[in-house]
Amino acid sequence: MSADNNQGGAGLELLDVSVRFRDGDEYQSILHGLSLSVQRSEVVSVSGRSGSGKSTLLGVAGLLRTPDSGSINVAGNACAELSNRDRTTMRRDHVGMIFQSAELFPSLTAIQQLLLIADIERKSTKSNMTKATDLLESVGLAHRLNHRPGQLSGGERQRVGIARALMSDPAVILADEPTASLDPERSEEVMGLLTTEARRHNAATVVVSHDPAHGAFMDRSYRLENGQLHLI
């Protein structure tokens, strides 16, 4: 199930994906025959009204939710029919997640947040420290390695979140409104950093965002409506 994260081509492919949920005695479709292909080093955004299915889309792409039909490929691996255990392994090894509020552990320092990811993956501790330090330096936090979330600004916490998502060398990065809690200046700064690092690390990246200004950082932008993606 392993894949070379340095290869080109599509990092994420969703083909004819449908998801429905039960509403009383009926079923409602939230994703309907949706298809999306994101190449390595490519960054795309998805917007849409509340309830349009953006979170469901990220859940399917991140192997957190199994669609009712359709196929999912991550780093060249077919994932729709995997067991729960294999899906967890694929997600751990190939998918990096960035959340709206960073979701950092309050008691861990910035560098410990990254080392925890490496520990979960059971990778060499000696090289992990160098890698974690380099990643935090790359996002401008060389002077904040040993600070806990409560000592960091909102923008700094999101920078840690970006570095943490890159710690596993993911083929795919999924970001859910990563700048929603930031002011416009910090929002632009963090989005610029996220897209730059995602491309530098050769990740296929999907960003859910409502900010039109973020379109300048994207290779493509979509709107999710009536269960399908429409190119903006």
Side-chain angles (χ1 to χ4, degrees), residues 75-122:
N77 297 275
C79 300
E81 303 299 326
L82 293 179
S83 67
N84 287 338
R85 181 175 180 178
D86 286 343
R87 288 166 68 86
T88 298
T89 300
M90 279 295 301
R91 184 168 60 250
R92 181 196 68 194
D93 292 345
H94 297 297
V95 180
M97 304 288 292
I98 301 172
F99 304 97
Q100 186 176 129
S101 58
E103 300 292 337
L104 303 180
F105 292 96
S107 62
L108 299 184
T109 64
I111 198 163
Q112 288 170 340
Q113 309 279 345
L114 275 66
L115 292 175
L116 178 62
I117 299 300
D119 185 55
I120 291 171
E121 295 182 350
R122 301 174 184 175

Short mmCIF file of all heavy atoms in Angstrom, two decimals, residues 75-122:
data_model
loop_
_atom_site.label_atom_id
_atom_site.label_comp_id
_atom_site.label_asym_id
_atom_site.label_seq_id
_atom_site.Cartn_x
_atom_site.Cartn_y
_atom_site.Cartn_z
N ALA A 75 -2.48 8.99 -3.48
CA ALA A 75 -1.09 8.62 -3.80
C ALA A 75 -1.03 7.36 -4.65
O ALA A 75 -0.15 6.52 -4.49
CB ALA A 75 -0.28 8.43 -2.51
N GLY A 76 -1.99 7.23 -5.58
CA GLY A 76 -1.99 6.09 -6.48
C GLY A 76 -2.59 4.83 -5.91
O GLY A 76 -2.54 3.78 -6.55
N ASN A 77 -3.16 4.91 -4.72
CA ASN A 77 -3.75 3.75 -4.06
C ASN A 77 -5.27 3.84 -4.08
O ASN A 77 -5.84 4.86 -3.67
CB ASN A 77 -3.28 3.65 -2.61
CG ASN A 77 -1.78 3.44 -2.50
OD1 ASN A 77 -1.29 2.32 -2.57
ND2 ASN A 77 -1.05 4.53 -2.34
N ALA A 78 -5.94 2.79 -4.54
CA ALA A 78 -7.40 2.74 -4.49
C ALA A 78 -7.84 2.53 -3.05
O ALA A 78 -7.38 1.59 -2.39
CB ALA A 78 -7.91 1.61 -5.38
N CYS A 79 -8.73 3.40 -2.57
CA CYS A 79 -9.05 3.40 -1.14
C CYS A 79 -10.50 3.11 -0.80
O CYS A 79 -10.82 2.85 0.37
CB CYS A 79 -8.68 4.76 -0.53
SG CYS A 79 -6.94 5.18 -0.69
N ALA A 80 -11.39 3.17 -1.76
CA ALA A 80 -12.82 3.07 -1.46
C ALA A 80 -13.20 1.76 -0.79
O ALA A 80 -14.11 1.71 0.04
CB ALA A 80 -13.65 3.28 -2.72
N GLU A 81 -12.49 0.68 -1.12
CA GLU A 81 -12.86 -0.63 -0.61
C GLU A 81 -11.94 -1.12 0.50
O GLU A 81 -12.01 -2.29 0.90
CB GLU A 81 -12.86 -1.66 -1.76
CG GLU A 81 -13.78 -1.30 -2.91
CD GLU A 81 -15.24 -1.19 -2.49
OE1 GLU A 81 -15.65 -1.96 -1.60
OE2 GLU A 81 -15.95 -0.34 -3.05
N LEU A 82 -11.08 -0.27 1.01
CA LEU A 82 -10.15 -0.69 2.06
C LEU A 82 -10.89 -0.98 3.37
O LEU A 82 -11.93 -0.40 3.65
CB LEU A 82 -9.10 0.39 2.31
CG LEU A 82 -8.09 0.68 1.20
CD1 LEU A 82 -7.15 1.81 1.63
CD2 LEU A 82 -7.28 -0.57 0.86
N SER A 83 -10.30 -1.84 4.16
CA SER A 83 -10.82 -2.07 5.51
C SER A 83 -10.57 -0.83 6.36
O SER A 83 -9.76 0.04 6.01
CB SER A 83 -10.11 -3.27 6.14
OG SER A 83 -8.74 -2.95 6.38
N ASN A 84 -11.25 -0.74 7.49
CA ASN A 84 -11.06 0.40 8.37
C ASN A 84 -9.61 0.52 8.82
O ASN A 84 -9.06 1.63 8.91
CB ASN A 84 -11.97 0.28 9.60
CG ASN A 84 -13.42 0.54 9.27
OD1 ASN A 84 -13.74 1.19 8.28
ND2 ASN A 84 -14.32 0.01 10.10
N ARG A 85 -8.98 -0.61 9.09
CA ARG A 85 -7.58 -0.59 9.52
C ARG A 85 -6.67 -0.06 8.42
O ARG A 85 -5.79 0.77 8.68
CB ARG A 85 -7.16 -2.00 9.93
CG ARG A 85 -5.72 -2.09 10.42
CD ARG A 85 -5.38 -3.48 10.91
NE ARG A 85 -4.01 -3.56 11.38
CZ ARG A 85 -3.47 -4.66 11.90
NH1 ARG A 85 -4.20 -5.76 12.02
NH2 ARG A 85 -2.22 -4.66 12.30
N ASP A 86 -6.88 -0.53 7.19
CA ASP A 86 -6.03 -0.09 6.09
C ASP A 86 -6.29 1.38 5.75
O ASP A 86 -5.37 2.11 5.35
CB ASP A 86 -6.25 -0.96 4.86
CG ASP A 86 -5.61 -2.33 5.01
OD1 ASP A 86 -4.75 -2.49 5.90
OD2 ASP A 86 -5.97 -3.25 4.24
N ARG A 87 -7.52 1.83 5.90
CA ARG A 87 -7.84 3.23 5.67
C ARG A 87 -7.12 4.11 6.70
O ARG A 87 -6.60 5.18 6.36
CB ARG A 87 -9.35 3.46 5.75
CG ARG A 87 -10.12 2.90 4.58
CD ARG A 87 -11.62 2.85 4.87
NE ARG A 87 -12.17 4.19 4.96
CZ ARG A 87 -12.59 4.90 3.90
NH1 ARG A 87 -12.51 4.37 2.69
NH2 ARG A 87 -13.10 6.09 4.05
N THR A 88 -7.08 3.66 7.93
CA THR A 88 -6.37 4.40 8.97
C THR A 88 -4.88 4.49 8.65
O THR A 88 -4.27 5.56 8.80
CB THR A 88 -6.56 3.71 10.34
OG1 THR A 88 -7.95 3.72 10.68
CG2 THR A 88 -5.78 4.44 11.42
N THR A 89 -4.31 3.41 8.17
CA THR A 89 -2.89 3.41 7.79
C THR A 89 -2.64 4.35 6.62
O THR A 89 -1.67 5.12 6.63
CB THR A 89 -2.44 1.98 7.42
OG1 THR A 89 -2.62 1.12 8.55
CG2 THR A 89 -0.97 1.97 7.00
N MET A 90 -3.50 4.30 5.62
CA MET A 90 -3.36 5.20 4.47
C MET A 90 -3.46 6.65 4.91
O MET A 90 -2.68 7.50 4.46
CB MET A 90 -4.45 4.90 3.43
CG MET A 90 -4.16 3.72 2.53
SD MET A 90 -2.73 4.02 1.45
CE MET A 90 -3.27 5.48 0.59
N ARG A 91 -4.41 6.95 5.75
CA ARG A 91 -4.59 8.32 6.23
C ARG A 91 -3.37 8.78 7.02
O ARG A 91 -2.89 9.90 6.86
CB ARG A 91 -5.86 8.41 7.08
CG ARG A 91 -6.21 9.80 7.54
CD ARG A 91 -7.62 9.85 8.12
NE ARG A 91 -7.78 8.97 9.26
CZ ARG A 91 -8.51 7.86 9.25
NH1 ARG A 91 -9.14 7.48 8.17
NH2 ARG A 91 -8.62 7.12 10.35
N ARG A 92 -2.87 7.92 7.87
CA ARG A 92 -1.70 8.26 8.69
C ARG A 92 -0.47 8.53 7.82
O ARG A 92 0.28 9.48 8.07
CB ARG A 92 -1.40 7.10 9.65
CG ARG A 92 -0.22 7.34 10.58
CD ARG A 92 0.24 6.02 11.19
NE ARG A 92 0.83 5.16 10.18
CZ ARG A 92 1.06 3.85 10.36
NH1 ARG A 92 0.71 3.27 11.49
NH2 ARG A 92 1.63 3.14 9.40
N ASP A 93 -0.28 7.71 6.80
CA ASP A 93 0.94 7.78 6.00
C ASP A 93 0.89 8.79 4.87
O ASP A 93 1.94 9.27 4.42
CB ASP A 93 1.26 6.40 5.41
CG ASP A 93 1.65 5.39 6.48
OD1 ASP A 93 1.95 5.82 7.62
OD2 ASP A 93 1.65 4.19 6.17
N HIS A 94 -0.31 9.13 4.38
CA HIS A 94 -0.38 9.90 3.15
C HIS A 94 -1.25 11.15 3.18
O HIS A 94 -1.31 11.87 2.19
CB HIS A 94 -0.88 9.00 2.01
CG HIS A 94 0.03 7.85 1.71
ND1 HIS A 94 1.32 8.02 1.26
CD2 HIS A 94 -0.16 6.49 1.83
CE1 HIS A 94 1.89 6.84 1.09
NE2 HIS A 94 1.02 5.90 1.44
N VAL A 95 -1.94 11.41 4.30
CA VAL A 95 -2.84 12.57 4.36
C VAL A 95 -2.47 13.47 5.53
O VAL A 95 -2.35 13.01 6.67
CB VAL A 95 -4.31 12.12 4.50
CG1 VAL A 95 -5.22 13.35 4.56
CG2 VAL A 95 -4.72 11.21 3.34
N GLY A 96 -2.28 14.76 5.24
CA GLY A 96 -2.04 15.75 6.28
C GLY A 96 -3.27 16.65 6.41
O GLY A 96 -3.81 17.10 5.40
N MET A 97 -3.70 16.88 7.65
CA MET A 97 -4.90 17.68 7.90
C MET A 97 -4.53 18.98 8.60
O MET A 97 -3.72 19.00 9.52
CB MET A 97 -5.88 16.90 8.77
CG MET A 97 -6.30 15.55 8.23
SD MET A 97 -7.40 15.64 6.81
CE MET A 97 -8.88 16.31 7.56
N ILE A 98 -5.16 20.09 8.15
CA ILE A 98 -5.00 21.38 8.80
C ILE A 98 -6.39 21.88 9.14
O ILE A 98 -7.27 21.95 8.28
CB ILE A 98 -4.27 22.39 7.89
CG1 ILE A 98 -2.89 21.85 7.50
CG2 ILE A 98 -4.14 23.74 8.58
CD1 ILE A 98 -2.18 22.68 6.45
N PHE A 99 -6.59 22.24 10.41
CA PHE A 99 -7.92 22.57 10.89
C PHE A 99 -8.09 24.07 11.09
O PHE A 99 -7.13 24.83 11.13
CB PHE A 99 -8.20 21.83 12.20
CG PHE A 99 -8.03 20.34 12.09
CD1 PHE A 99 -6.85 19.73 12.49
CD2 PHE A 99 -9.04 19.55 11.57
CE1 PHE A 99 -6.68 18.36 12.39
CE2 PHE A 99 -8.89 18.17 11.46
CZ PHE A 99 -7.70 17.58 11.87
N GLN A 100 -9.34 24.47 11.28
CA GLN A 100 -9.68 25.88 11.42
C GLN A 100 -9.01 26.52 12.62
O GLN A 100 -8.56 27.66 12.56
CB GLN A 100 -11.20 26.01 11.53
CG GLN A 100 -11.70 27.43 11.54
CD GLN A 100 -13.22 27.48 11.55
OE1 GLN A 100 -13.81 28.16 12.38
NE2 GLN A 100 -13.83 26.77 10.64
N SER A 101 -8.91 25.78 13.72
CA SER A 101 -8.33 26.35 14.94
C SER A 101 -7.04 25.65 15.35
O SER A 101 -6.69 25.62 16.52
CB SER A 101 -9.35 26.27 16.08
OG SER A 101 -9.74 24.92 16.30
N ALA A 102 -6.34 25.07 14.39
CA ALA A 102 -5.04 24.40 14.57
C ALA A 102 -5.15 23.09 15.34
O ALA A 102 -4.45 22.13 15.03
CB ALA A 102 -4.02 25.33 15.24
N GLU A 103 -6.03 23.01 16.37
CA GLU A 103 -6.23 21.77 17.12
C GLU A 103 -4.92 21.24 17.69
O GLU A 103 -4.60 20.06 17.55
CB GLU A 103 -6.88 20.70 16.23
CG GLU A 103 -8.24 21.07 15.67
CD GLU A 103 -9.32 21.17 16.74
OE1 GLU A 103 -9.15 20.55 17.81
OE2 GLU A 103 -10.32 21.86 16.50
N LEU A 104 -4.17 22.11 18.34
CA LEU A 104 -2.91 21.70 18.97
C LEU A 104 -3.17 21.19 20.38
O LEU A 104 -4.14 21.57 21.03
CB LEU A 104 -1.94 22.89 19.02
CG LEU A 104 -1.61 23.56 17.69
CD1 LEU A 104 -0.64 24.71 17.92
CD2 LEU A 104 -1.02 22.55 16.69
N PHE A 105 -2.29 20.32 20.86
CA PHE A 105 -2.38 19.84 22.23
C PHE A 105 -1.86 20.91 23.18
O PHE A 105 -0.69 21.33 23.06
CB PHE A 105 -1.58 18.55 22.38
CG PHE A 105 -2.15 17.38 21.63
CD1 PHE A 105 -1.68 17.06 20.36
CD2 PHE A 105 -3.17 16.63 22.17
CE1 PHE A 105 -2.21 15.99 19.65
CE2 PHE A 105 -3.71 15.55 21.46
CZ PHE A 105 -3.24 15.23 20.21
N PRO A 106 -2.65 21.37 24.13
CA PRO A 106 -2.27 22.50 24.98
C PRO A 106 -0.98 22.30 25.76
O PRO A 106 -0.25 23.26 26.02
CB PRO A 106 -3.46 22.65 25.95
CG PRO A 106 -4.59 21.98 25.26
CD PRO A 106 -4.00 20.87 24.46
N SER A 107 -0.69 21.06 26.15
CA SER A 107 0.47 20.81 27.02
C SER A 107 1.76 20.58 26.26
O SER A 107 2.83 20.47 26.86
CB SER A 107 0.19 19.59 27.92
OG SER A 107 0.00 18.42 27.13
N LEU A 108 1.70 20.50 24.93
CA LEU A 108 2.90 20.21 24.13
C LEU A 108 3.47 21.48 23.50
O LEU A 108 2.73 22.34 23.05
CB LEU A 108 2.57 19.21 23.02
CG LEU A 108 2.06 17.83 23.45
CD1 LEU A 108 1.87 16.94 22.23
CD2 LEU A 108 3.01 17.18 24.45
N THR A 109 4.78 21.55 23.46
CA THR A 109 5.44 22.67 22.78
C THR A 109 5.29 22.50 21.28
O THR A 109 4.86 21.44 20.79
CB THR A 109 6.93 22.72 23.13
OG1 THR A 109 7.56 21.53 22.63
CG2 THR A 109 7.14 22.83 24.64
N ALA A 110 5.67 23.53 20.54
CA ALA A 110 5.55 23.48 19.08
C ALA A 110 6.29 22.29 18.51
O ALA A 110 5.75 21.54 17.67
CB ALA A 110 6.08 24.78 18.47
N ILE A 111 7.50 22.07 18.95
CA ILE A 111 8.27 20.97 18.37
C ILE A 111 7.72 19.62 18.83
O ILE A 111 7.74 18.64 18.08
CB ILE A 111 9.77 21.11 18.70
CG1 ILE A 111 10.59 20.24 17.74
CG2 ILE A 111 10.08 20.80 20.16
CD1 ILE A 111 12.05 20.59 17.67
N GLN A 112 7.18 19.55 20.03
CA GLN A 112 6.58 18.30 20.49
C GLN A 112 5.33 17.93 19.70
O GLN A 112 5.03 16.75 19.52
CB GLN A 112 6.25 18.40 21.98
CG GLN A 112 7.48 18.38 22.88
CD GLN A 112 7.15 18.71 24.33
OE1 GLN A 112 6.11 19.31 24.63
NE2 GLN A 112 8.04 18.33 25.24
N GLN A 113 4.60 18.95 19.21
CA GLN A 113 3.43 18.67 18.37
C GLN A 113 3.84 17.87 17.14
O GLN A 113 3.13 16.94 16.72
CB GLN A 113 2.76 19.98 17.92
CG GLN A 113 2.45 20.97 19.01
CD GLN A 113 1.16 20.67 19.77
OE1 GLN A 113 0.33 19.88 19.34
NE2 GLN A 113 0.99 21.33 20.90
N LEU A 114 4.98 18.23 16.55
CA LEU A 114 5.46 17.54 15.35
C LEU A 114 6.05 16.18 15.68
O LEU A 114 5.84 15.20 14.96
CB LEU A 114 6.49 18.40 14.62
CG LEU A 114 5.95 19.44 13.65
CD1 LEU A 114 5.17 20.53 14.38
CD2 LEU A 114 7.08 20.08 12.85
N LEU A 115 6.79 16.11 16.78
CA LEU A 115 7.42 14.85 17.16
C LEU A 115 6.38 13.79 17.51
O LEU A 115 6.62 12.59 17.31
CB LEU A 115 8.37 15.07 18.35
CG LEU A 115 9.61 15.90 18.05
CD1 LEU A 115 10.40 16.16 19.33
CD2 LEU A 115 10.50 15.22 17.01
N LEU A 116 5.21 14.22 17.99
CA LEU A 116 4.14 13.28 18.27
C LEU A 116 3.70 12.55 17.00
O LEU A 116 3.42 11.35 17.02
CB LEU A 116 2.96 14.01 18.91
CG LEU A 116 1.73 13.14 19.22
CD1 LEU A 116 2.09 12.05 20.23
CD2 LEU A 116 0.58 14.01 19.73
N ILE A 117 3.63 13.29 15.89
CA ILE A 117 3.26 12.68 14.61
C ILE A 117 4.27 11.60 14.23
O ILE A 117 3.90 10.49 13.82
CB ILE A 117 3.19 13.74 13.50
CG1 ILE A 117 2.14 14.80 13.82
CG2 ILE A 117 2.92 13.09 12.14
CD1 ILE A 117 0.73 14.25 13.97
N ALA A 118 5.55 11.91 14.38
CA ALA A 118 6.58 10.93 14.06
C ALA A 118 6.52 9.73 14.99
O ALA A 118 6.75 8.59 14.57
CB ALA A 118 7.95 11.60 14.16
N ASP A 119 6.19 9.97 16.25
CA ASP A 119 6.08 8.87 17.20
C ASP A 119 4.94 7.94 16.83
O ASP A 119 5.07 6.71 16.91
CB ASP A 119 5.86 9.44 18.61
CG ASP A 119 5.88 8.36 19.68
OD1 ASP A 119 6.86 7.61 19.76
OD2 ASP A 119 4.88 8.26 20.43
N ILE A 120 3.83 8.50 16.41
CA ILE A 120 2.69 7.69 15.98
C ILE A 120 3.08 6.83 14.78
O ILE A 120 2.65 5.67 14.66
CB ILE A 120 1.50 8.60 15.62
CG1 ILE A 120 0.94 9.26 16.89
CG2 ILE A 120 0.40 7.83 14.89
CD1 ILE A 120 -0.10 10.33 16.63
N GLU A 121 3.92 7.38 13.91
CA GLU A 121 4.35 6.65 12.72
C GLU A 121 5.54 5.74 13.00
O GLU A 121 6.01 5.03 12.11
CB GLU A 121 4.70 7.64 11.61
CG GLU A 121 3.50 8.44 11.13
CD GLU A 121 3.84 9.38 10.01
OE1 GLU A 121 5.05 9.55 9.74
OE2 GLU A 121 2.92 9.92 9.40
N ARG A 122 6.06 5.78 14.24
CA ARG A 122 7.17 4.91 14.66
C ARG A 122 8.40 5.11 13.80
O ARG A 122 9.03 4.14 13.35
CB ARG A 122 6.71 3.44 14.64
CG ARG A 122 5.53 3.16 15.55
CD ARG A 122 5.01 1.76 15.40
NE ARG A 122 3.81 1.54 16.21
CZ ARG A 122 3.10 0.43 16.19
NH1 ARG A 122 3.46 -0.57 15.42
NH2 ARG A 122 2.03 0.31 16.95
#
